[in-house]
Amino acid sequence: MAAAKWIMVVDDDTSNLQMAGHILSKNNMRVTALKSGSALLDYIGKNGTPDLILLDIKMPEMDGFETLSNLRVLEKQKGLNETPVIFLTADENTGTETRGFEVGVSDFIRKPFNPDVLLRRINNVISMQSEMINLKNEATRDKLTGLLNKGAAGVELSTMCNEELGCLMMIDLDSFKLVNDIYGHEMGDKVLISFANIIKETVPDNSRVGRIGGDEFVAFCYQMTMEDSVAQIAKDLNEKLLASAKEMMGEDMNIPLGASVGAVMVPRYGNDYTSLLKLADKCLYKVKKNGKHGYSIYDTSVISEEEENSVQMDIKSLSEILGERNVPSVALQMDMDAFSYVYRYIIRYIARHNVNACKVLFTLNKKEGTPDDIYMDQCDEFGNHVRHSLRKSDIMTRSRYNQYYVFLTDIREEFTERVIKQIVDSWGEAYEEGIEIVYDSEFVRSEVGPLMQDEDKFVIMVDDDEKNLKLAGKPLTDAGIKVIGLTSGQELIDYLDQNEELPDLVLLDIRMPGMDGFETLKKLRDMGGDAGRVSVVFLTADDSYGTEADGLALGAMDFIKKPFVPEIMTLRVSHILELVMLRKRFHKVLTTKD
């Protein structure tokens, strides 16, 4: 029997807590009711995260937006997956919904609650989250051992190498081929599974382990800095492996099975995963040549004259040298010369691709009574503060000792002042006031800012009113989405039956002559195949009690109410498309894996 879904409801109104709790508990859901954002953060810090959070927006002291922001920080600190959040609101202000989707909320539910809609929307979000997690696990986990696969290990260990202190190890099984040759591949698989578990139980807590080849493994050992610790791990791996192998193959097993370990300390020799892995591999090779079943830790004496000689590079090698292989989540800072070239390129890119940006010049003035050395130190530190406050897509340069020029890329004008204020305010909270911060800003505006440019998006809109097709089609097209308008459910079925290119999403009117939206969706699902699985959002002016619940029960992803508010409709469609495209990307990874 499946475990009950765990829902946290956060609302300062006791009657809302009681109503939501009654509805959810009656439908076999575990409910935790809390009355403030601070109570939620404290509870999660001690008890972990639920399946979903219903979060009121308007609460005293800490509103829903601030609570969500603090929740994401807490989850990141504890290494937890992001919990899906649905905002609860009675606010009909379109700006609230716009801001909610900007910060990553999963959905909105209006107060007072419609019980059926509440349950359907909760189930939809949880199902989508569960599917994404399962797809991610399938796409990132080695099927045999359950460890990170090669691609995922590269991503996770890159982050560890970039942010943590520790030791990167390459681990290789010695004489493993003999297991397959003598005992068969089924026994070989058992040995690999056993050894994967041995590595996981041997490395320190908070480490990461992956399988990057047949009998090759990689591990980042968290906070490990001493050679004695590496030696102990190598000793334990060999002893446990031999004991496990004899248990599976018998005490008379005489294959010289063991493990060789090549290690490099991080960040002593850098923090680039690809480069560090090559150093660990050199050490592993050294162990293999000198008796196996041991370890070697990298130092500069490992490099031979031959390896130091330069060789002609191919395009991949040169790209790795030029590129930023492990991109930290901070702004890119560069000197003025390099910045000038990037600046010119971005200005051209904005003109060509209709994106927005904002220029900001921070000037730091010394306050009266501040010693010169403290003033200079704070000017230096302010640059680090700005880098870590911005996104990795933003760029900056230090134009003078007391000035930083920042370029905020792909940003909406209404958010620029908030970003700048956050930088200034958070500096004041963290540092003694030795400097006065003044700034000038200039917004670089374009006509349209596409919400999603990384992939082509295709939407079919079905509505018997051609005015609605034009009204909704224009903002979607302006957002970089391909839109085809059809005027009946039968036209949609015929289109899907006759065309190979399928839409990513169908926007389907409910009230249409001949075949209404509900009938059309049922026929669509009966088609089967990829066409039958196309995601659908209903369009309706119907506010009746059961319409939304009935549509969600049929499998619609969302409802968009008429008359359209173009900005809200575009945000909702874009939000759903992000989920749809994420699902497609994971499926593509799974179907193209060896």
Side-chain angles (χ1 to χ4, degrees):
M1 183 176 178
K5 299 183 180 83
W6 180 19
I7 313 297
M8 284 187 185
V9 187
V10 186
D11 197 313
D12 62 311
D13 188 328
T14 303
S15 62
N16 285 334
L17 291 177
Q18 291 174 341
M19 181 181 299
H22 174 72
I23 294 169
L24 301 177
S25 300
K26 186 179 176 182
N27 285 272
N28 301 315
M29 295 184 186
R30 173 189 169 194
V31 180
T32 300
L34 301 167
K35 298 193 69 173
S36 69
S38 58
L40 170 70
L41 299 173
D42 183 61
Y43 190 94
I44 285 178
K46 297 174 182 176
N47 301 280
T49 54
D51 295 297
L52 181 138
I53 297 171
L54 298 176
L55 180 59
D56 187 30
I57 295 179
K58 292 191 175 179
M59 297 185 292
E61 296 182 14
M62 187 189 299
D63 68 13
F65 287 101
E66 187 179 356
T67 300
L68 177 57
S69 176
N70 289 331
L71 172 65
R72 294 300 182 233
V73 171
L74 178 63
E75 289 167 331
K76 185 175 182 180
Q77 289 173 345
K78 291 185 168 291
L80 302 170
N81 289 324
E82 290 190 355
T83 310
V85 173
I86 296 178
F87 272 157
L88 306 176
T89 182
D91 190 352
E92 296 291 341
N93 187 333
T94 59
T96 300
E97 194 162 345
T98 300
R99 185 182 169 196
F101 284 119
E102 291 281 357
V103 299
V105 72
S106 295
D107 205 348
F108 279 77
I109 294 178
R110 303 289 174 191
K111 299 178 185 179
F113 307 127
N114 174 326
D116 289 337
V117 171
L118 177 69
L119 291 170
R120 291 289 180 187
R121 287 196 175 275
I122 287 174
N123 284 324
N124 278 356
V125 171
I126 291 178
S127 296
M128 179 67 73
Q129 179 79 356
S130 177
E131 180 183 2
M132 291 302 172
I133 290 173
N134 289 337
L135 287 169
K136 181 180 178 181
N137 285 338
E138 286 189 52
T140 60
R141 293 286 165 180
D142 176 60
K143 289 184 178 179
L144 179 65
T145 64
L147 300 178
L148 295 170
N149 61 26
K150 184 175 181 179
V155 173
E156 292 227 13
L157 272 67
S158 289
T159 301
M160 296 289 283
C161 290
N162 196 59
E163 298 178 355
E164 305 292 350
L165 184 71
C167 178
L168 183 67
M169 294 183 177
M170 275 197 71
I171 306 168
D172 187 75
L173 285 176
D174 303 322
S175 305
F176 174 72
K177 184 175 182 299
L178 293 174
V179 177
N180 286 331
D181 292 344
I182 297 172
Y183 292 91
H185 288 278
E186 185 176 347
M187 179 57 71
D189 287 348
K190 290 180 180 179
V191 171
L192 290 173
I193 293 169
S194 174
F195 187 60
N197 292 327
I198 289 169
I199 299 175
K200 286 191 294 184
E201 70 184 30
T202 303
V203 297
D205 293 340
N206 299 318
S207 298
R208 299 287 188 277
V209 183
R211 182 186 179 204
I212 57 175
D215 58 354
E216 290 183 331
F217 300 83
V218 63
F220 183 92
C221 296
Y222 180 71
Q223 295 291 312
M224 181 182 291
T225 60
M226 306 297 291
E227 179 174 349
D228 289 350
S229 301
V230 179
Q232 187 61 52
I233 281 186
K235 180 174 180 290
D236 290 345
L237 290 177
N238 277 282
E239 289 178 353
K240 292 176 182 178
L241 173 62
L242 185 60
S244 174
K246 288 193 173 185
E247 184 177 333
M248 290 186 289
M249 291 178 274
E251 287 294 329
D252 59 346
M253 192 278 299
N254 59 5
I255 295 173
L257 195 61
S260 295
V261 178
V264 58
M265 296 302 179
V266 183
R268 186 181 305 166
Y269 293 102
N271 56 16
D272 177 70
Y273 170 73
T274 305
S275 301
L276 290 165
L277 194 63
K278 290 177 181 177
L279 301 182
D281 190 39
K282 295 180 193 296
C283 295
L284 180 62
Y285 180 70
K286 181 179 176 182
V287 178
K288 290 284 193 181
K289 288 200 306 182
N290 293 278
K292 305 181 180 180
H293 297 15
Y295 73 94
S296 174
I297 300 178
Y298 179 81
D299 61 46
T300 52
S301 65
V302 174
I303 303 175
S304 67
E305 270 187 37
E306 182 181 344
E307 290 167 335
E308 287 181 330
N309 293 332
S310 61
V311 294
Q312 186 172 336
M313 290 180 290
D314 58 19
I315 188 170
K316 181 180 178 182
S317 301
L318 187 55
S319 297
E320 287 182 352
I321 292 171
L322 293 173
E324 192 177 9
R325 288 164 292 195
N326 296 308
V327 183
S329 296
V330 297
L332 177 63
Q333 184 172 354
M334 57 191 70
D335 61 46
M336 280 288 288
D337 288 340
F339 183 89
S340 65
Y341 290 107
V342 176
Y343 173 86
R344 292 168 200 164
Y345 169 76
I346 290 178
I347 292 295
R348 295 185 183 193
Y349 188 89
I350 288 170
R352 173 68 179 81
H353 294 281
N354 291 324
V355 294
N356 300 325
C358 183
K359 311 170 191 175
V360 186
L361 178 64
F362 290 101
T363 302
L364 314 175
N365 298 320
K366 184 172 70 169
K367 287 189 174 181
E368 186 175 351
T370 301
D372 288 343
D373 58 340
I374 292 179
Y375 170 57
M376 296 301 291
D377 286 346
Q378 291 207 357
C379 286
D380 292 339
E381 187 57 38
F382 185 77
N384 291 327
H385 173 71
V386 173
R387 281 186 69 232
H388 285 84
S389 299
L390 299 179
R391 306 163 298 175
K392 58 188 175 185
S393 58
D394 300 322
I395 63 171
M396 59 183 288
T397 188
R398 190 171 187 171
S399 52
R400 293 185 60 204
Y401 74 91
N402 68 331
Q403 285 190 317
Y404 291 91
Y405 188 80
V406 176
F407 209 112
L408 306 174
T409 61
D410 197 13
I411 188 170
R412 294 163 62 115
E413 186 169 10
E414 59 266 34
F415 294 120
T416 56
E417 192 64 31
R418 187 187 308 167
V419 170
I420 297 169
K421 186 174 185 298
Q422 190 273 331
I423 291 172
V424 175
D425 289 350
S426 59
W427 169 265
E429 293 170 2
Y431 298 91
E432 295 181 7
E433 295 187 359
I435 58 175
E436 177 192 20
I437 304 169
V438 296
Y439 63 87
D440 293 317
S441 63
E442 178 185 337
F443 191 75
V444 184
R445 185 177 290 101
S446 65
E447 293 182 3
V448 179
L451 294 176
M452 297 173 292
Q453 299 182 35
D454 57 332
E455 298 175 85
D456 293 332
K457 313 296 188 304
F458 175 23
V459 170
I460 291 180
M461 183 174 179
V462 185
D463 195 312
D464 61 308
D465 187 334
E466 294 193 8
K467 290 182 180 179
N468 284 336
L469 292 178
K470 292 179 181 178
L471 179 64
K474 185 179 186 306
L476 294 177
T477 300
D478 289 345
I481 301 169
K482 175 184 174 182
V483 180
I484 289 180
L486 304 174
T487 57
S488 71
Q490 189 59 53
E491 281 189 36
L492 172 67
I493 300 301
D494 292 343
Y495 181 95
L496 296 176
D497 188 48
Q498 297 167 13
N499 291 271
E500 291 186 6
E501 184 187 12
L502 298 176
D504 301 302
L505 184 68
V506 172
L507 303 178
L508 183 58
D509 188 28
I510 294 180
R511 295 279 181 91
M512 295 185 293
M515 185 192 306
D516 68 16
F518 288 165
E519 292 177 87
T520 302
L521 179 54
K522 289 176 184 176
K523 279 201 169 187
L524 176 63
R525 297 297 182 239
D526 288 341
M527 292 179 71
D530 291 337
R533 290 190 292 270
V534 170
S535 300
V536 172
V537 170
F538 278 132
L539 309 174
T540 182
D542 188 349
D543 283 325
S544 63
Y545 185 81
T547 299
E548 188 169 353
D550 291 344
L552 293 171
L554 286 172
M557 293 190 72
D558 205 349
F559 271 71
I560 296 177
K561 296 295 176 66
K562 299 179 183 178
F564 304 123
V565 178
E567 186 178 29
I568 293 297
M569 183 205 65
T570 303
L571 278 168
R572 276 199 172 273
V573 170
S574 299
H575 175 69
I576 293 167
L577 280 171
E578 287 177 4
L579 297 176
V580 171
M581 302 310 287
L582 179 60
R583 180 192 294 171
K584 285 188 173 184
R585 285 196 293 270
F586 277 133
H587 277 303
K588 184 177 181 181
V589 169
L590 292 173
T591 55
T592 56
K593 282 169 63 178
D594 292 335

